């Protein structure tokens, strides 16, 4: 007789200095987000995560990892690689924010405008993305996510344990506060 | 409720079958893939939101499955026509098999058929010889992800290394 076995998925790739991190290094709570820039649910979670970081500025930090589901979201991979190209120039979060604030403008033409708005040279970034210079990094994040039990986007890990609750601000505050007090 | 006899367990020979599969309706079954690990992903239905995520997820993980030379087959009781439209809308390139007539026969033979007439959300990994090496029954509304599958495939690869050594 086999019964449903509830296994809590755990983050397998620890957070390192290679990660894109927003918030204090000594935060009691680390939230790792596996996200897809073209995913509407990630887009819906984005302002809530932003507000969570604002309200818990001393206790919570956010790590962003790429998880493009390319077969459903044709622009997701290119968006991720563009964010990484911005990241190597120290502008990851500016690009990340632009992408989530312009989810209806991720086609190559608008994306170039976005790169420009973030203050980076679009032609240079385009060339890198065309050469797939950042594909390995995006793939590495993806594989680490799938091995950790990412089952869709967004998937959050709160202090290493998969968050199976909602992404509204109250849900996120509750999860973060529970982890801080654990 | 799932099958009263329960999901097929490791160590058992995988029941053989051949079902119409996307994209062209050709008959597919695990025997055609002997020599490679086979992942059978039973799911309740095309179009229900959780399934869409699960099958899309497995498609997006195709390069990782390829590293293990693993074959992924999705199975539900939907017809080939539903499967085809579903696969097209989600960009799913691995085969979706129609356990449609006699309805759910294959799901039943794996202990992955529910009283409501849908397949259970069950994962079964077969070794290259066609023996069940891992199985997992998820609640119907929970996308089980792929971490358990890859752990099972890692275990298979490690066992083979030991046997070869």
């Amino acid at each position: 007789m086999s019964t449903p076995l509830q296994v809590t998925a755990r983050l397998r790739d620890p957070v390192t200095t290679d990660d894109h991190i927003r918030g204090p290094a000594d935060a009691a709570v680390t939230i790792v987000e596996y996200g897809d820039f073209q995913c509407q649910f990630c887009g819906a979670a984005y302002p809530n995560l932003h507000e969570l970081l604002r309200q818990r500025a001393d206790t919570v930090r956010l790590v962003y990892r790429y998880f493009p589901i390319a077969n459903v979201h044709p622009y997701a991979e290119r968006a991720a690689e563009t964010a990484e190209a911005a990241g190597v120039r120290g502008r990851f979060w500016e690009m990340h924010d632009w992408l989530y604030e312009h989810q209806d403008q991720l086609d190559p033409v608008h994306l170039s405008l976005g790169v420009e708005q973030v203050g980076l040279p679009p032609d240079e970034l385009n060339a890198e993305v065309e050469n797939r210079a950042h594909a390995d990094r995006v793939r590495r994040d993806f594989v680490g996510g799938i091995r950790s039990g990412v089952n869709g986007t967004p998937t959050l890990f709160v202090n290493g344990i998969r968050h199976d609750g909602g992404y509204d601000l109250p849900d996120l505050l509750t999860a973060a506060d529970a982890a801080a007090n654990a | 409720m799932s099958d009263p006899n329960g999901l097929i367990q490791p160590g058992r020979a995988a029941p053989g079958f051949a079902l119409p599969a996307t994209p062209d309706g050709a008959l597919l079954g695990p025997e055609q893939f002997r020599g490679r690990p086979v992942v059978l992903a039973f799911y309740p239905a095309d179009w229900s939101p959780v399934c869409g995520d699960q099958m899309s997820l497995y498609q997006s993980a195709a390069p990782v499955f390829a590293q293990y030379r693993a074959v992924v087959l999705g199975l539900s009781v939907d017809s080939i026509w539903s499967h085809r439209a579903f696969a097209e809308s989600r960009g799913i390139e691995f085969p979706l098999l129609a356990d449609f007539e006699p309805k759910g026969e294959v799901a039943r033979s794996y202990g992955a058929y529910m009283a409501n007439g849908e397949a259970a959300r069950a994962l079964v990994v077969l070794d290259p010889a066609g023996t069940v090496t891992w199985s997992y029954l998820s609640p119907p509304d929970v996308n089980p992800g792929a971490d358990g599958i890859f752990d099972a495939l890692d275990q298979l690869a490690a066992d083979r290394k030991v046997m070869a050594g």
Side-chain angles (χ1 to χ4, degrees):
Chain A
M1 178 78 200
S2 106
T3 47
L5 180 66
Q6 294 281 16
V7 184
T8 309
R10 278 169 192 278
L11 186 69
R12 301 204 192 173
D13 286 357
V15 175
T16 72
T17 50
D18 283 345
D19 274 303
H20 301 298
I21 307 173
R22 186 179 241 176
D26 62 349
V29 180
T30 299
I31 296 179
V32 176
E33 174 184 12
Y34 283 89
D36 171 321
F37 289 114
Q38 205 183 340
C39 159
Q40 55 173 319
F41 303 104
C42 300
Y46 161 75
N48 301 334
L49 286 163
H50 220 81
E51 183 59 18
L52 173 72
L53 289 181
R54 199 187 66 80
Q55 291 191 21
R56 297 290 185 271
D58 299 328
T59 48
V60 177
R61 65 176 180 155
L62 178 66
V63 175
Y64 189 88
R65 289 178 177 169
Y66 307 111
F67 202 86
I69 301 186
N71 43 300
V72 187
H73 300 140
Y75 298 134
E77 234 163 15
R78 193 182 177 94
E81 291 176 30
T82 302
E84 186 56 27
V88 300
R89 292 166 175 80
R91 295 281 180 83
F92 171 79
W93 289 104
E94 290 89 331
M95 196 71 233
H96 163 279
D97 291 356
W98 188 92
L99 290 164
Y100 278 125
E101 286 162 18
H102 300 80
Q103 278 194 301
D104 56 344
Q105 298 173 36
L106 300 184
D107 60 282
V109 173
H110 285 93
L111 185 58
S112 284
L113 291 173
V115 170
E116 213 171 330
Q117 282 175 30
V118 166
L120 293 170
D123 292 346
E124 205 178 299
L125 267 70
N126 267 340
E128 281 181 19
V129 171
E130 288 296 326
N131 295 332
R132 307 304 306 272
H134 305 292
D136 284 352
R137 164 57 188 265
V138 172
R139 172 74 18 205
R140 196 172 75 216
D141 276 6
F142 181 92
V143 172
I146 201 132
R147 297 302 310 247
S148 297
V150 169
N151 59 359
T153 52
T155 291
L156 305 182
F157 291 86
V158 180
N159 281 354
I161 296 170
R162 191 175 70 198
H163 169 73
D164 289 330
Y167 303 101
D168 289 340
L169 183 60
D171 299 322
L172 296 175
L173 284 166
T174 304
D177 291 346
N181 297 322
Chain B
M1 261 314 286
S2 56
D3 192 293
N5 298 316
L7 180 63
I8 194 165
Q9 292 298 301
R12 287 204 29 210
F17 60 84
L19 291 174
T22 54
D24 55 4
L27 295 176
L28 278 190
E31 292 100 324
Q32 283 144 280
F33 301 103
R34 289 288 187 262
R36 298 171 66 183
V38 174
V39 178
L40 302 177
F42 293 92
Y43 63 101
D46 292 338
W47 308 111
S48 81
V50 180
C51 319
D53 283 346
Q54 188 188 354
M55 294 302 122
S56 298
L57 183 76
Y58 294 170
Q59 178 61 43
S60 66
V64 192
F65 284 114
Q67 285 173 8
Y68 293 90
R69 298 192 64 243
V71 175
V72 181
L73 304 176
L75 298 96
S76 80
V77 299
D78 295 286
S79 75
I80 188 71
W81 304 107
S82 174
H83 273 342
R84 217 177 260 179
F86 180 62
E88 213 161 284
S89 87
R90 302 290 199 277
I92 294 167
E93 292 170 8
F94 64 85
L96 299 179
L97 277 54
D99 194 9
F100 181 70
E101 179 59 34
K103 187 185 169 204
E105 188 180 46
V106 171
R108 286 173 212 266
S109 71
Y110 280 78
Y113 191 75
M114 298 192 297
N116 72 352
E118 296 178 339
R121 195 176 296 283
L123 299 170
V124 181
V125 175
L126 313 184
D127 72 12
T131 303
V132 175
T133 181
W134 180 76
S135 65
Y136 177 75
L137 182 64
S138 180
D141 57 343
V142 176
N143 177 345
D147 48 323
I149 299 172
F150 288 118
D151 287 349
L153 293 173
D154 272 344
Q155 188 61 48
L156 263 184
D159 291 350
R160 251 183 298 173
K161 233 175 250 169
V162 170
M163 300 229 315

